[in-house]
Amino acid sequence: VSWAEVVLPLSDVGQVWVALFIAYICFTQMAVLNVLTGVFCQNAIDSAQHDQDLVTQSILAQKKMYVKQIAAIFAEIDVDGSGTITIHEFRKHLQDESVQAIFDSLGLDASDVWTLFKLLDIDNDTVIELDEFVAGCLRLKGNAKGLDMAK
């Protein structure tokens, strides 16, 4: 249908009716486009929220895997099975290049054994327990953060 065919009978009634018809068509078209835009925006917002949930789940899964790796390293270093690591056990295992490579892969600098041991020994009792080892490695992992710099 041509718009001229629709508007022509209205022009016989009066130009005011033609103007109202054009205003009606414009308003209706804008309303439909506004609804479609709203639907697309809502879908985008829902997708972004879902993506945030996926990112959170991924971070938690990576942290869990990281903690398992740290616990395995602890078990490897704790050769006497006492549940603690002494400076001697720590130094002995960090002389091994494969253990240093594992620390490097976890984002931990193991070049200075004594400093690393002191940083991991949270309660300063000269032995590192599993909880201290895990918490210390999590704290020291990666680059320094603003909170670390403030300390």
Side-chain angles (χ1 to χ4, degrees):
V1 173
S2 171
W3 285 109
E5 292 176 12
V6 176
V7 173
L8 195 58
L10 283 176
S11 64
D12 293 339
V13 177
Q15 292 300 322
V16 174
W17 292 106
V18 172
L20 283 173
F21 179 72
I22 292 173
Y24 170 76
I25 294 297
C26 290
F27 175 77
T28 304
Q29 189 173 22
M30 291 299 286
V32 168
L33 289 176
N34 195 19
V35 168
L36 287 175
T37 302
V39 168
F40 285 122
C41 287
Q42 188 61 43
N43 284 338
I45 290 169
D46 290 344
S47 293
Q49 180 63 37
H50 183 67
D51 287 346
Q52 182 63 35
D53 292 342
L54 290 176
V55 168
T56 303
Q57 289 176 356
S58 173
I59 289 172
L60 290 175
Q62 287 176 352
K63 184 177 179 182
K64 190 174 185 179
M65 182 186 69
Y66 185 77
V67 168
K68 278 185 178 180
Q69 290 175 336
I70 292 171
I73 293 170
F74 181 88
E76 183 179 326
I77 295 173
D78 182 25
V79 291
D80 62 0
S82 63
T84 60
I85 298 174
T86 64
I87 184 64
H88 302 293
E89 290 174 321
F90 197 64
R91 180 177 288 136
K92 180 181 176 189
H93 277 80
L94 283 181
Q95 289 173 350
D96 184 8
E97 288 184 14
S98 64
V99 175
Q100 285 183 357
I102 292 171
F103 271 88
D104 287 340
S105 72
L106 294 174
L108 297 170
D109 181 20
S111 60
D112 185 1
V113 176
W114 178 247
T115 302
L116 182 59
F117 186 85
K118 287 192 309 186
L119 289 171
L120 293 174
D121 186 17
I122 297 170
D123 58 5
N124 295 322
D125 61 353
T126 67
V127 292
I128 301 173
E129 299 166 357
L130 177 61
D131 294 341
E132 285 180 305
F133 191 71
V134 170
C137 288
L138 287 173
R139 190 178 73 247
L140 296 173
K141 179 183 177 216
N143 298 327
K145 312 248 183 328
L147 184 61
D148 298 326
M149 299 303 287
K151 289 181 182 178

